[in-house]
Amino acid sequence: MKNTVVIGAQWGDEGKAKITDLLSQNADLIIRYQGGCNAGHTVVANGQTYKFHLIPSGILYDKTTCFIGAGTVIHPESFEKELNELKNQGVDFKNLKISPLATITMPYHIEVDGWSEANSGKGKIGTTKRGIGPTYTDKMARCAFKIQDLYSYEALNAKIEMMLSLKNKTLEKVYGLEPYTKDCIISLCETYAELFKPYVCFEWQDMLNRFKDKTILFEGAQGVMLDIDYGTYPFVTSSNPIGGGAATGSGYGPTMIQDVIGVSKAYVTRVGEGPFVTELTDEIGKKIQEVGHEFGVTTGRPRRCGWFDAVTMKYAVLVGGVTHVALTKMDVFDDFDEIKICTAYKDCRNDKFYTLYPTDVFIHKYLEPVYETLPGWKTSISGIKRYEDLPENAKKYIARVEDLIGAPISILSVGPDREQTIFIS
Ligand code: GDP
Ligand code: IMO
Ligand code: MG
């Protein structure tokens, strides 16, 4: 296997973890490069369901090293909870490493996220309330704590000196929240230092050098349409889930990446607010939600559902740097008489057609999807192992999607289990 990045090509929850887990068996090092515990990643294997948020899905393999990279944000309490839940399922963490350069989500980041969601009215993003935006805001404003600060008296004190007074003013005056004392921050950091100690990899440069000739898998969270630069801004997350994010968040540069697998469902889902041109608010949308069990792993929120959107997918292929596509949840359509694909948008104000994704999301409310209808296959495909054995109508669907998005589909997922996968050569 070449060095590969796995990214979500839609609005998250495409089934990335299943694909990462599958590819992990051929990888020596897995790096999670952005996001935090806003992610909810499900792997079904060995008769068990594992739920990951920050810990790389590759942890299920004994021989792979799993590295949480500098581009991530880590909420200590959530990390501990995830660790304990997975430990109870028998998962071993001897191969888990954390970058000293990862950023810490502090309790006030969670408070601010919650406050902003509650007080934004129409400007609400529908975040996971995991403090993601406020943590990345502080990182960019150069007043965040990094994991390495927990082990340096000098750094911790200097940072507290630099940020606490302004942070408290903002917490009190803007948000009406309680201020933090220096002692409180230090006490929190002491607890965090103990928690992360077994995993922090201060020799990460050595480690990355050693793995340079091995196989590396970069694990993305969220999806291209939630990317801070290229997604449906402002209804996005605060990091770069595109393939390029792996080059900044992992510790390796772009020359280490050969393939980018864009994971996409055979339809579209979205959690939270924001435009969604092919959204179905009718019985069909409800059917997709029920058959596909479309409820969030992290927040339990129902996911909005709609038909496959070739306009956004073609865009995701471009800006995500996608070389291959993994198409998931094909089996959800087993019982559908017909399946629609959105091939263009029509602006109902002036009859203008878009086949390239319009990045001004404030016009999306005027856009109507233009659909092409394909016949369903009306039989269960979840036990099929070879492409040749798929029903003709399923093959036609795959070929049409490939045609419209301009990228080959190399992996087909027909069920949640590791085994329910078809590789197309
Ligand atoms: P991720 O965030 O991209 O890793 O995806 P999630 O884990 O949030 O959501 C994907 C859901 O779909 C999980 O419950 C998976 O177990 C499930 N899943 C993945 N691939 C398939 C598939 O091909 N068919 C079906 N029916 N479920 C799948
Ligand atoms: P995985 O990795 C789906 C969405 C939230 C919200 C927006 C901003 O499982 O695909 P945030 O908490 O990041 O500030 O929320 O992004 N969101 C996700 N949607 N899957 C995810 O992760 C998501 N992570 C964030 O619902 O709309
Ligand atoms: Mg998810």
Side-chain angles (χ1 to χ4, degrees):
M1 190 175 83
K2 294 176 181 169
N3 290 346
T4 302
V5 190
V6 176
I7 64 167
Q10 298 170 318
W11 278 281
D13 302 327
E14 299 89 348
K16 296 175 292 293
K18 172 182 165 167
I19 304 302
T20 307
D21 165 73
L22 261 178
L23 300 178
S24 293
Q25 55 193 311
N26 300 317
D28 301 298
L29 173 64
I30 323 268
I31 310 180
R32 169 76 187 269
Y33 58 86
Q34 45 72 231
C37 60
N38 48 348
H41 295 165
T42 320
V43 173
V44 183
N46 316 319
Q48 286 205 66
T49 299
Y50 303 90
K51 293 189 174 169
F52 300 97
H53 299 281
L54 184 70
I55 292 164
S57 328
I59 199 80
L60 297 179
Y61 293 92
D62 261 1
K63 69 169 189 64
T64 41
T65 300
C66 290
F67 185 48
I68 299 176
T72 61
V73 294
I74 309 184
H75 179 235
E77 289 82 358
S78 304
F79 171 78
E80 188 176 25
K81 185 166 178 270
E82 182 177 355
L83 210 64
N84 288 336
E85 282 171 6
L86 290 166
K87 271 183 187 162
N88 287 340
Q89 287 187 282
V91 178
D92 186 295
F93 292 100
K94 66 179 187 304
N95 296 330
L96 181 65
K97 317 262 181 216
I98 297 177
S99 170
L101 298 180
T103 303
I104 301 171
T105 294
M106 300 294 283
Y108 48 80
H109 292 132
I110 309 265
E111 292 171 47
V112 169
D113 199 0
W115 187 95
S116 305
E117 283 294 291
N119 291 282
S120 299
K122 279 192 171 169
K124 189 175 166 220
I125 306 292
T127 74
T128 58
K129 297 189 188 161
R130 297 300 191 268
I132 303 298
T135 311
Y136 277 111
T137 301
D138 275 3
K139 169 175 151 168
M140 292 307 185
R142 296 161 291 194
C143 59
F145 293 101
K146 300 237 165 201
I147 295 281
Q148 65 183 11
D149 301 337
L150 302 174
Y151 307 94
S152 159
Y153 175 82
E154 287 291 324
L156 202 56
N157 273 286
K159 284 226 172 134
I160 294 175
E161 274 312 304
M162 285 168 76
M163 54 70 71
L164 193 59
S165 149
L166 182 60
K167 177 60 67 191
N168 276 338
K169 274 189 196 122
T170 320
L171 287 176
E172 284 185 279
K173 298 217 160 79
V174 178
Y175 301 108
L177 295 168
E178 289 295 311
Y180 280 74
T181 61
K182 180 174 180 181
D183 284 351
C184 174
I185 302 271
I186 288 181
S187 158
L188 281 170
C189 289
E190 281 168 359
T191 312
Y192 299 163
E194 277 307 302
L195 170 67
F196 293 124
K197 207 159 146 195
Y199 312 106
V200 184
C201 185
F202 285 104
E203 56 293 343
W204 64 273
Q205 297 173 49
D206 240 2
M207 180 182 79
L208 293 192
N209 276 323
R210 270 189 285 114
F211 278 103
K212 265 189 163 173
D213 301 326
K214 302 265 175 60
T215 305
I216 301 147
L217 189 61
F218 301 86
E219 177 177 23
Q222 288 81 51
V224 171
M225 302 312 290
L226 288 171
D227 187 277
I228 186 76
D229 291 307
Y230 294 98
T232 46
Y233 190 92
F235 303 99
V236 292
T237 191
S238 299
S239 65
N240 283 118
I242 53 165
T248 55
S250 66
Y252 286 125
T255 49
M256 287 293 285
I257 300 168
Q258 284 123 22
D259 272 346
V260 178
I261 297 192
V263 186
S264 162
K265 281 174 185 164
Y267 48 92
V268 182
T269 63
R270 165 158 216 178
V271 205
E273 307 300 317
F276 180 176
V277 177
T278 64
E279 181 169 14
L280 294 164
T281 49
D282 59 4
E283 286 307 307
I284 300 174
K286 218 172 264 165
K287 184 171 173 184
I288 295 176
Q289 190 182 68
E290 275 167 24
V291 181
H293 304 292
E294 294 299 351
F295 297 89
V297 180
T298 299
T299 57
R301 288 179 291 177
R303 296 171 179 153
R304 299 154 65 190
C305 298
W307 293 117
F308 184 85
D309 180 348
V311 180
T312 56
M313 187 63 194
K314 196 162 67 175
Y315 175 73
V317 166
L318 175 71
V319 303
V322 171
T323 54
H324 302 271
V325 170
L327 195 67
T328 63
K329 300 201 120 172
M330 280 277 288
D331 53 298
V332 171
F333 284 146
D334 282 355
D335 184 38
F336 279 59
D337 294 326
E338 49 185 37
I339 301 162
K340 292 190 179 178
I341 301 177
C342 169
T343 55
Y345 300 156
K346 183 179 136 189
D347 190 327
C348 60
R349 293 170 302 176
N350 51 19
D351 284 358
K352 181 176 170 183
F353 284 88
Y354 291 92
T355 51
L356 291 180
Y357 174 73
T359 54
D360 173 2
V361 300
F362 293 95
I363 67 153
H364 285 205
K365 59 176 177 284
Y366 304 116
L367 302 179
E368 284 170 2
V370 178
Y371 287 123
E372 196 171 295
T373 304
L374 280 79
W377 38 91
K378 300 290 282 178
T379 180
S380 170
I381 59 168
S382 55
I384 293 178
K385 305 269 180 232
R386 302 183 320 158
Y387 174 79
E388 301 82 82
D389 299 334
L390 283 170
E392 279 314 306
N393 283 350
K395 288 184 191 161
K396 277 187 193 150
Y397 180 81
I398 295 163
R400 187 61 186 133
V401 168
E402 274 185 330
D403 214 32
L404 287 164
I405 65 176
I409 295 170
S410 62
I411 302 174
L412 212 62
S413 176
V414 291
D417 201 277
R418 248 184 213 166
E419 308 296 320
Q420 293 173 299
T421 313
I422 300 169
F423 288 90
I424 308 174
S425 45

